[in-house]
Structures are given as C-alpha cells and as structure tokens.
Amino acid sequence: MADENRIVGLDIGTTKIAAIISEAGETGRPKIVGIGIRPSEGLKRGLVINLEKTVESVASAVEDAEMMAGVKVDSVYAGIAGDHIRSINSRGVIAVSRSDHEITPTDVEKVIEAAKTVALPMDREIIHVLPQEFTVDEQPGIKAPIGMVGVRLETEVHIVTGAVTAAQNIYRGVKKAGLEVEDLVLQPLASSYALLSPDEEELGVALIDLGGGTTDFAVFFDGSIRHTGVVGLGGKNVTNDIAIGLRTPVDQAEEIKKTYGSALSSLVDSDEMIRVPGVGGGEPKEISRNVLASIIEPRMEEILSLTLQELKKSNHFDLLATGIVLTGGGSLMEGAVELAERIFDVPVRTGKPTGISGLEERVSSPIYSTGVGLILYGWEQFKEGRSGGGLKAKGLFRKMKNMLTQYL
C-alpha cells in the first residue's frame, strides 16, 4: 500500500459502488476522510455481467472519494458476495512438532492447512479459512493455543468458497480501474466488524444483509463465525414487483419504494395516496399507499422466509440468543424490523456502522455497513501484520494474478 496510514474499503454491490477512504485517527479509531458512491452498472446478483461498466462505476466512486479526501489511493479491500458463495465447516488435526510439546505459530498454521484439505470442484476456490476453535489433547474450546503444551492439536474452521470466475472478474474490474486488491472479503464478514458487539458474537447472533441483488447472512456464536449463506433475492426483486404491479418505469418504482414503501401493510394509512408516473409518458395515476405495501410485503416475506429456511437447515438457528441484526438498504424500509420479528420470532434490530471517526454521520446508514466493515477489517489485518488476509487462503490471488498477467 502506498501509504501505510491509509485503508480503503470498496463495496461492490448490485445497486451501488461505495468507496470509503480512512486514515489512522488520533483516537485509535479509523478516521473517514473520503466517501464516493455511484450507481452500480454491470453487476447482477453480485456477479459482473459487464466488465467495462463495472470498471467505470468503480473508477468514478473512487475518484469521488479521492477528491473529497484530497489524496490518491492505489489499493483497496474489496467485498465479494453473490449466490455463487458456498461455505462448509471442516476439521484438521496434527501432532505438535516441538520436542517439549509447546504449540508454536507454525503448528497453528499447519493444523489450519490440514483443515483446508477438502475436495473442491475445479471451478471453485477458497476465499476465507476462519478458525472457530482449537482442541489441545481433547481439551476443546481454546481460542489461542500458541504457548500451550500438548501432543495433539485440532481445529474446527469455517471455509468460505466462491466461483473462481466470479472472483476473477471482480479482481479484473478493480485492476482495470487502476487499483490493487489488498484482499477480497466476504461482505457479511466485513459488515460484522462494523455492526456486531463482542457480546452478540459470543452469545449468538445472525447478521442479515438485505442487499439489492442478494440477501447475505452469517451466524456467529461463541465468538466465531459458524455459518454463512446467500438467498438469491434482494431489493431489486421488490422494485421489479412494484414496476410491474403499478405499471411504472423501474427507476420510478425504486424511488417510490424508497420514499413510500412499507414491508407491513398494517403499518400504512389506507387513506394516504401517492402519485405514480405512467410508462412511456403515460398519464400518472394516484393509488393508495396500502396498495403499494400489499405488493412489497409478500416479496419481503418471501426473502426473509427463505433466509429462515436456510438458517434452520444449517442447524444454527437455535444459537441466536441475542437475535438478528438487519442491515443493507432493505433494512431501511418501514416495517422491515417488525416483519422480521414476526417471521423469525426473535429480537431484531437495525445495524448501523460504528467504530470509526471523521465523517461518521455520513456513513452511519446501513447502506455503508460493508464499506465501513472493510475498513475495520483492513485496519485489523494491518495492525496484526497480516496483510492479504493472514489465515485466508492466498491461492485465489496467485491464480488470478497469473491468469491476468498476459492481459494487464
């Protein structure tokens, strides 16, 4: 990185590209000095479908952030999501190498490497290997085994995988915009750095990101990530339903959703009327806001119900002692929290980014959760001297860089 005191988060979403520049703050918290946000062109459900438009959106967002901050940046921590993401839990075991049986960092690296030895299809690569806990000579629940004494070391890890081509296209889009990728980070993992308290992660919580193209979620328990998943529906599906149901252009449907939308029709005054533009210059019409809510509610209920199904299939739903944290643009809709509480039957709150200084009021919205989380993730890697993800598998970047050398 050109400046060791600067970290940049790049949230590459289906509906928006957000670039956030941070510097080392005097309070010990990252200080936000630049923000750039542009509509996302060229992505669908987290996947790049038009590389040139993606490059333009990324470059424009970063330029806006650079102009605000008055600096030039050359590398970013980029988020990755989409319904190509899959995760599994794995276990590894080794014999401790030293004759005095003291566990060293090398032993920890070896046992994590052993846990990574899983059969993957050729078109998939490991993005993260996230240790959950260690066991030393049948003593489980150990978080930091280095320095302890034992003969046998085991670990349980959470492995996040993605489609190689999906990751390559994000990497290429950022590279063509003139930037290096410090790390690709799973978006709900990044968001957790900005939204969740240590108590929530310890007692059990699910983070659900209601994004534009997909709904991503992660379960935390006993201080570690336990499960991640994706539902291939998001805010764009709600917008399309409104456009079709009210016979209005998609961009107008998006504005109507943001301004008047409600995820629960019971919260809306049936006498309140809204103006709906017609398609192709047709005459506008007035409808009850209750009609709009009756279009939105079934789709939001479907998204949240599918997420509940995935959580229950993973056998982790019963771990959510502190409930659910909703974030992403969809969490801003009136009635989203109330609908989620009805469906999940656990406490639900809206997650807003914390842990930063500077322009914190500008980035306090849930739409910036991933961008701020990427910054906090990046600062943690920097402080721990683990640039590039540390325990993260680095084969993905090596493979992508080798393949792209002849083109870039």
Side-chain angles (χ1 to χ4, degrees), residues 273-301:
M273 305 298 288
I274 60 175
R275 192 167 183 270
V276 179
V279 177
E283 286 294 316
K285 54 184 177 291
E286 283 200 343
I287 65 158
S288 165
R289 191 173 166 221
N290 193 263
V291 171
L292 173 63
S294 70
I295 295 172
I296 294 172
E297 184 174 342
R299 180 65 82 175
M300 290 291 288
E301 188 170 352

Side-chain angles (χ1 to χ4, degrees), residues 244-358:
I244 294 169
L246 301 184
R247 296 184 177 87
T248 191
V250 173
D251 59 340
Q252 294 294 329
E254 179 69 16
E255 287 304 312
I256 290 170
K257 179 184 75 173
K258 289 179 178 178
T259 307
Y260 303 106
S262 176
L264 272 180
S265 54
S266 60
L267 299 178
V268 176
D269 183 355
S270 59
D271 294 330
E272 185 177 353
M273 305 298 288
I274 60 175
R275 192 167 183 270
V276 179
V279 177
E283 286 294 316
K285 54 184 177 291
E286 283 200 343
I287 65 158
S288 165
R289 191 173 166 221
N290 193 263
V291 171
L292 173 63
S294 70
I295 295 172
I296 294 172
E297 184 174 342
R299 180 65 82 175
M300 290 291 288
E301 188 170 352
E302 178 190 20
I303 292 170
L304 294 171
S305 296
L306 288 171
T307 305
L308 174 61
Q309 288 179 23
E310 292 298 314
L311 286 170
K312 287 188 171 179
K313 280 197 299 186
S314 72
N315 297 319
H316 289 91
F317 184 72
D318 292 337
L319 301 178
L320 309 183
T322 63
I324 286 169
V325 176
L326 284 185
T327 193
S331 69
L332 293 171
M333 185 180 293
E334 178 188 58
V337 168
E338 292 85 351
L339 179 62
E341 285 182 335
R342 191 179 78 186
I343 289 172
F344 292 103
D345 196 27
V346 298
V348 178
R349 71 172 178 89
T350 302
K352 298 179 180 180
T354 59
I356 41 88
S357 62

